[in-house]
């Protein structure tokens, strides 16, 4: 880990306009380091100072908000950065989906219901979202101290909607169940798709628990003893449901990652009443 390429660090500023019980304005400001600037890919990926991977998943969000503005500030940093599984979507989807839940709460609406409203006219997204809700038992009672969250995001021509059930144990998130629906177009090998989605869930959850830090310019972490990934005894049950809407064949290796953390954050809000706005997780009130 000390000599690798790292995922960029990002900050997102979000504002919304709410009127008449509706979400009518959306402002998303993204600040972070480009993975293309200064590389051989800059000419193809950077246009007018904007790295397309920095804003993907945000500038092209399909939700029917009539007034949308997305801004990017690219910073310089000596830390070498490159692609990380789901690339820019790993950042933008978390910010977008977490803020949608905050908007839903402000509007007095259910997060699932608000997404259905905003995605009217996008049948593939709605089909995946509805399948995840149905398979997870959305709206049914959970044990005391357990919350449930949902999200939906499109990336690499695939759509994934995870539902996460979680609690807080000793100040840390404890994930009990993940139910993911996926539409990646024509499926050649269903078992491979399910395995990718299961791995994506564990990968995404791990990303919220561990971090890379530097001391005097040197990376502190070296291996899995001080960069903890989710172990088998910590891992939740992951159910995967394939949705076929007859769409174009898309990706699967990265599609399952972006929505898992925001769904977890929504579940934790149900338990604690507090929003998670920083990763990795610190202590979570329970």
């Amino acid at each position: 880990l000390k000599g690798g390429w790292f995922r960029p660090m990002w900050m997102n500023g979000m504002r919304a306009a709410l009127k008449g019980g509706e979400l009518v304005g959306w402002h998303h400001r993204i600040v972070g380091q480009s993975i293309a600037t200064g590389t051989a890919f800059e000419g193809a990926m950077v246009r007018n100072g904007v790295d397309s991977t920095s804003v993907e998943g945000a500038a092209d969000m399909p939700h029917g908000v009539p007034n949308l503005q997305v801004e990017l500030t690219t910073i310089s940093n000596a830390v070498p950065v490159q692609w990380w599984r789901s690339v820019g979507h790993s950042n933008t989807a978390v910010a977008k989906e977490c803020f949608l839940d905050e908007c839903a709460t402000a509007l007095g609406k259910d997060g699932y219901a608000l997404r259905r409203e905003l995605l009217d006219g996008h049948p593939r997204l709605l089909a995946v979202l509805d399948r995840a809700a149905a398979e997870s038992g959305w709206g049914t009672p959970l044990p005391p101290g357990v919350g449930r969250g949902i999200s939906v995001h499109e990336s690499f021509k695939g759509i994934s909607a995870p539902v996460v059930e979680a609690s807080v144990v000793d100040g840390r998130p404890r994930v009990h169940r993940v139910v993911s629906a996926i539409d990646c177009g024509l499926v050649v090998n269903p078992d491979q798709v399910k395995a990718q989605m299961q791995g994506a869930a564990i990968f995404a959850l791990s990303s919220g628990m561990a971090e890379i830090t530097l001391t005097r310019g040197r990376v502190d972490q070296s291996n899995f003893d001080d960069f903890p990934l989710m172990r088998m005894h910590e891992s939740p049950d992951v159910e995967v449901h394939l949705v076929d809407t007859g769409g174009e064949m898309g990706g699967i290796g990265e599609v399952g990652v972006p929505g898992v953390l925001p769904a977890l954050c929504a579940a934790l809000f149900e338990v604690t009443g507090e929003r998670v706005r920083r990763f990795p997780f610190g202590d979570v009130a329970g």
Side-chain angles (χ1 to χ4, degrees):
L1 293 178
K2 289 183 178 293
W5 294 79
F6 303 99
R7 179 182 184 232
M9 180 171 60
W10 295 100
M11 179 174 287
N12 296 269
M14 314 290 295
R15 295 190 299 171
L18 312 176
K19 182 179 181 180
E22 304 293 333
L23 177 58
V24 298
W26 183 275
H27 179 216
H28 185 175
R29 185 166 187 82
I30 303 166
V31 180
Q33 187 178 356
S34 166
I35 64 171
T37 300
T39 74
F41 300 99
E42 182 173 359
M45 295 171 57
V46 180
R47 290 287 186 271
N48 299 319
V50 176
D51 180 345
S52 60
T53 66
S54 297
V55 297
E56 61 185 2
D60 55 352
M61 60 180 278
H63 304 70
V65 181
N67 301 286
L68 171 68
Q69 181 167 322
V70 177
E71 302 172 353
L72 172 68
T73 297
T74 300
I75 64 170
S76 298
N77 195 319
V79 177
V81 296
Q82 262 299 342
W83 287 273
W84 188 86
R85 189 173 180 181
S86 75
V87 199
H89 297 277
S90 67
N91 166 58
T92 58
V94 175
K96 170 179 69 72
E97 293 295 307
C98 284
F99 194 54
L100 275 172
D101 283 316
E102 297 204 25
C103 290
T105 299
L107 291 167
K109 297 182 178 182
D110 173 83
Y112 167 52
L114 178 61
R115 286 172 173 83
R116 292 205 90 258
E117 292 177 14
L118 295 174
L119 292 172
D120 185 37
H122 295 276
R124 286 189 71 198
L125 283 154
L126 284 175
V128 179
L129 179 67
D130 288 343
R131 181 69 179 275
E135 296 290 351
S136 67
W138 188 266
T140 60
L142 288 169
V146 179
R148 182 189 283 133
I150 192 170
S151 74
V152 62
H153 189 75
E154 182 173 6
S155 59
F156 305 98
K157 299 181 181 180
I159 301 166
S160 173
V163 175
V164 174
E165 296 175 6
S167 62
V168 178
V169 178
D170 296 329
R172 303 291 291 175
R174 180 72 171 95
V175 182
H176 304 283
R177 183 184 182 213
V178 178
V179 179
S180 288
I182 171 71
D183 180 1
C184 56
L186 174 66
V187 173
V188 176
N189 186 333
D191 286 342
Q192 187 179 42
V193 172
K194 292 178 180 179
Q196 287 278 9
M197 291 294 292
Q198 291 166 342
I202 303 304
F203 187 92
L205 293 170
S206 295
S207 74
M209 313 293 180
E211 66 180 333
I212 293 293
T213 59
L214 293 91
T215 300
R216 301 177 67 180
R218 294 179 180 271
V219 174
D220 298 320
Q221 292 73 26
S222 62
N223 213 315
F224 296 126
D225 59 332
D226 49 13
F227 187 80
L229 300 181
M230 183 170 276
R231 304 305 205 261
M232 290 181 69
H233 72 280
E234 301 168 312
S235 299
D237 293 329
V238 182
E239 303 171 25
V240 181
H241 301 275
L242 309 184
V243 180
D244 183 6
T245 60
E248 179 184 2
M249 181 184 283
I252 183 59
E254 307 188 75
V255 179
V257 173
V260 175
L261 273 184
L264 171 58
C265 291
L268 294 175
F269 177 74
E270 292 292 316
V271 176
T272 68
E274 298 181 3
R275 297 291 181 187
V276 177
R277 292 178 176 159
R278 184 183 180 91
F279 300 98
F281 289 100
D283 288 340
V284 181

